[in-house]
């Protein structure tokens, strides 16, 4: 578990004034990592850190010799971030991540000690930056670990309406597809697939008619493990670098027909959208909560429980889903909120997902991405997918401009926001994750 330290001091401000505004996602207490270049340029992609409305370029920053406060392991870490993907930096581990965070905090803090004019040379306005996938993602695993989501889906779709028997014992997951993961702003064609109409005998191949989103968080693995080496729950988070917002777009009609017995394929592999900034577990230290399991539920097997996880395994990450339809866009109306929830409700913790992933001997590698699974809260208003909000089409969601949605239509953008706030600490945010549905190819 990461410690709360001086980088979480709520009174700290930056000499970059936009980082001090109340509504920024990126105050000096956050310092999330991403990969960028100037929009429209052919510059190489390189690592950067978001601060207010600026991106701090870690390639140029680490080239300047003898930068005050950026030396030793922190300087090595910054140099690793000069690459077009952050994998080498992620592989360096928690001591390097923390050293660079502390060095950047000192350089950006409003205390008059750093060479502000020199550091300014390494700033790029975020509005002028093109953001890319922050890492070469080797493998993507998507979990199914919100009991509120699983209960709602089971009630709607399972033959007896019951949770799968293994849900309360196993942090369930499937291995996902990496090639179609895109960064926020991704657009994709409505997928085709095989669909069996209700009561039908022969499936047909056609565009998806029940397109949905899934509100998830994505966890980037930093330090891997050797094949056959199990990661204990007590050290699981030493392998985890940080978290982004993730939309696991899902074709429900294709999924219903193809998913038995081997899991989703066409229903999930056409697109997955991640937000560009990785908020580090270090930055998230103040927003931990106890992980709890109701006494009436099965308690986890020994490899999936320990005191540290009980004490602080949960994370209170607040989440919001918005929709922007073509009509909203053309009428210049703002996107409309569909739901809000928090990750604190989740049935299995990120640490438990890592411990379980490796429990059979599977090796994780730097840059691997773990999806949390759809994040839904206890009430329907907190649902993380449209299929839950609209009861699988039985109760379409009414939008304020007169439109309604049971599933997504062409032109719809889905927007996720995430943030953390807690009394005594600065609010930090994840930025925006958005993606848009284009019509199916003929
Ligand atoms: Ca999912």
């Amino acid at each position: 578990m990461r410690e709360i330290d001086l980088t979480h001091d709520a009174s700290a401000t930056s000499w970059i004034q936009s980082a001090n505004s109340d509504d920024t996602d990126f105050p000096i207490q956050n310092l999330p990592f991403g990969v960028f270049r100037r929009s429209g340029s052919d510059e190489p992609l390189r690592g950067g850190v978001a601060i207010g409305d600026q991106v701090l370029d870690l390639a140029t920053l680490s080239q300047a010799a003898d930068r005050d406060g950026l030396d030793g392991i922190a300087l090595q870490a910054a140099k690793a971030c000069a690459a077009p993907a952050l994998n080498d930096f992620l592989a360096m581990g928690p001591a390097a991540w923390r050293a660079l965070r502390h060095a950047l905090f000192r350089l950006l803090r409003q205390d008059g000690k750093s060479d502000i004019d020199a550091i300014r040379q390494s700033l790029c306005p975020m509005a002028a930056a093109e953001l890319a996938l922050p890492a070469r993602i080797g493998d993507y695993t998507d979990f199914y670990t919100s009991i509120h989501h699983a209960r709602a889906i089971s009630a709607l779709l399972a033959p007896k309406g019951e949770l799968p028997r293994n849900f309360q014992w196993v942090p369930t997951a499937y291995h996902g597809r990496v090639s179609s993961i895109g960064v926020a702003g991704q657009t994709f064609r409505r997928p085709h697939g095989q669909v069996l109409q209700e009561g039908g005998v022969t499936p047909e191949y056609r565009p998806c008619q029940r397109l949905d989103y899934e509100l998830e968080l994505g966890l980037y693995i930093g330090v891997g493990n050797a094949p056959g080496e199990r990661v204990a729950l007590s050290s699981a988070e030493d392998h985890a670098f940080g978290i982004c917002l993730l939309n696991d777009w899902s074709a429900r009609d294709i999924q219903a027909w193809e998913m038995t017995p081997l899991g989703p394929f066409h229903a999930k592999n056409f697109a997955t959208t991640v937000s560009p900034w990785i908020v580090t577990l270090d930055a998230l230290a103040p927003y931990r909560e106890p992980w709890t399991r109701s006494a009436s539920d099965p308690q986890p097997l020994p490899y999936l429980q320990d005191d540290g996880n009980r004490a602080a395994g949960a994370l209170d990450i607040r989440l919001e889903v918005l929709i922007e339809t073509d009509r909203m866009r053309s009428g210049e109306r703002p996107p409309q909120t569909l739901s809000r929830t928090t990750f604190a409700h989740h049935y299995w913790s990120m640490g438990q997902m890592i411990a379980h992933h490796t429990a059979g001997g599977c090796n994780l590698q730097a840059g691997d991405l773990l999806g949390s699974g759809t994040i839904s809260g206890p009430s329907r208003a907190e649902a993380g997918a449209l299929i839950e909000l609209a009861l699988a089409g039985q109760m379409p969601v009414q939008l304020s401009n007169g439109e309604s949605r049971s599933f997504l239509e062409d032109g719809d953008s889905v927007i996720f926001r995430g943030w953390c706030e807690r009394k005594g600490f600065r609010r930090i945010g994840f930025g925006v994750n958005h993606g848009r549905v284009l019509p199916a190819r003929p």
Side-chain angles (χ1 to χ4, degrees):
M1 295 290 171
R2 309 301 209 276
E3 304 289 326
I4 294 175
D5 58 32
L6 63 94
T7 64
H8 304 100
D9 176 1
S11 68
T13 55
S14 173
W15 51 264
I16 297 174
Q17 290 306 318
S18 59
N20 306 326
S21 86
D22 286 339
D23 59 357
T24 184
D25 275 350
F26 309 120
I28 193 169
Q29 291 83 357
N30 193 349
L31 305 178
F33 289 79
V35 159
F36 82 106
R37 67 178 155 209
R38 282 175 197 277
S39 302
S41 77
D42 57 0
E43 296 171 356
L45 293 165
R46 68 270 193 189
V49 162
I51 175 81
D53 62 7
Q54 304 289 311
V55 181
L56 179 62
D57 182 340
L58 294 173
T60 59
L61 188 77
S62 63
Q63 282 161 8
D66 300 327
R67 176 80 69 220
D68 181 39
L70 186 59
D71 52 20
I73 189 172
L75 181 58
Q76 290 173 35
K79 286 183 187 295
C81 291
L86 297 177
N87 295 61
D88 290 347
F89 170 57
L90 301 191
M92 290 177 79
W97 307 335
R98 196 177 309 117
L100 182 54
R101 172 178 171 84
H102 278 253
L104 296 176
F105 184 86
R106 285 193 300 272
L107 290 174
L108 295 168
R109 187 170 189 171
Q110 177 93 60
D111 64 1
K113 287 187 190 140
S114 43
D115 185 353
I116 290 173
D117 287 339
I119 300 169
R120 267 191 217 287
Q121 308 294 318
S122 294
L123 292 176
C124 172
M126 204 172 288
E130 169 198 339
L131 294 159
L133 281 178
R136 286 185 315 278
I137 301 168
D139 278 296
Y140 160 46
T141 305
D142 195 29
F143 282 84
Y144 182 70
T145 47
S146 159
I147 198 164
H148 304 296
H149 173 66
R151 282 211 171 104
I153 292 299
S154 299
L156 287 168
L157 303 179
K160 292 183 185 165
E162 294 171 351
L163 271 183
R165 260 188 77 199
N166 59 10
F167 186 90
Q168 290 169 296
W169 294 98
V170 179
T172 312
Y174 68 95
H175 286 120
R177 183 75 193 166
V178 175
S179 62
S180 53
I181 298 176
V183 77
Q186 183 179 26
T187 58
F188 62 91
R189 296 279 183 179
R190 176 180 296 273
H192 277 70
Q194 275 201 29
V195 175
L196 182 70
Q197 291 288 19
E198 200 169 320
V201 176
T202 306
E204 58 177 320
Y205 175 74
R206 60 164 169 70
C208 166
Q209 292 177 350
R210 302 186 118 202
L211 187 63
D212 202 354
Y213 59 84
E214 291 190 339
L215 170 66
E216 303 196 21
L217 294 172
L219 177 75
Y220 282 94
I221 295 297
V223 181
N225 58 301
E229 177 197 355
R230 299 191 298 267
V231 173
L233 178 57
S234 59
S235 58
E237 289 197 2
D238 293 343
H239 295 259
F241 176 67
I243 292 175
C244 67
L245 307 172
L246 184 150
N247 188 343
D248 177 28
W249 304 96
S250 297
R252 302 298 185 195
D253 44 1
I254 299 169
Q255 187 177 358
W257 170 235
E258 74 176 4
M259 197 156 136
T260 307
L262 285 186
F265 185 49
H266 283 178
K268 304 274 190 177
N269 67 7
F270 54 92
T272 304
T273 310
V274 291
S275 57
W277 296 109
I278 308 176
V279 176
T280 63
L281 288 199
D282 285 315
L284 293 166
Y287 316 101
R288 311 292 312 213
E289 292 197 348
W291 176 90
T292 57
R293 174 63 52 90
S294 164
S296 60
D297 281 11
Q299 299 305 299
L301 293 176
Y303 78 98
L304 289 175
Q305 71 174 334
D306 71 5
D307 291 345
N309 189 61
R310 291 264 177 195
L315 268 167
D316 183 15
I317 300 174
R318 317 281 173 92
L319 297 159
E320 180 178 28
V321 181
L322 304 98
I323 189 169
E324 183 185 49
T325 68
D326 266 345
R327 271 179 56 189
M328 290 175 190
R329 211 172 287 120
S330 59
E332 296 186 355
R333 296 176 73 121
Q336 182 173 334
T337 299
L338 291 176
S339 68
R340 284 184 168 191
T341 190
T342 164
F343 186 56
H345 297 306
H346 227 59
Y347 200 72
W348 296 102
S349 69
M350 292 284 193
Q352 287 169 319
M353 293 181 214
I354 293 170
H356 183 67
H357 204 306
T358 64
C362 175
N363 51 320
L364 295 170
Q365 303 185 89
D368 281 358
L369 182 66
L370 309 189
S372 63
T374 307
I375 300 166
S376 296
S379 75
R380 186 151 63 87
E382 296 173 83
L386 203 44
I387 189 170
E388 280 182 69
L389 286 174
L391 294 177
Q394 297 166 41
M395 192 177 290
V397 174
Q398 300 301 316
L399 304 178
S400 60
N401 66 349
E403 292 182 277
S404 66
R405 288 290 183 276
S406 290
F407 292 96
L408 297 172
E409 296 190 5
D410 293 345
D412 287 352
S413 288
V414 176
I415 301 157
F416 295 169
R417 295 183 196 280
W419 68 95
C420 294
E421 52 192 0
R422 184 176 162 195
K423 197 168 166 36
F425 292 94
R426 187 76 157 87
R427 176 193 174 283
I428 63 170
F430 285 72
V432 176
N433 193 26
H434 61 107
R436 188 174 173 198
V437 184
L438 303 177
R441 283 188 199 283

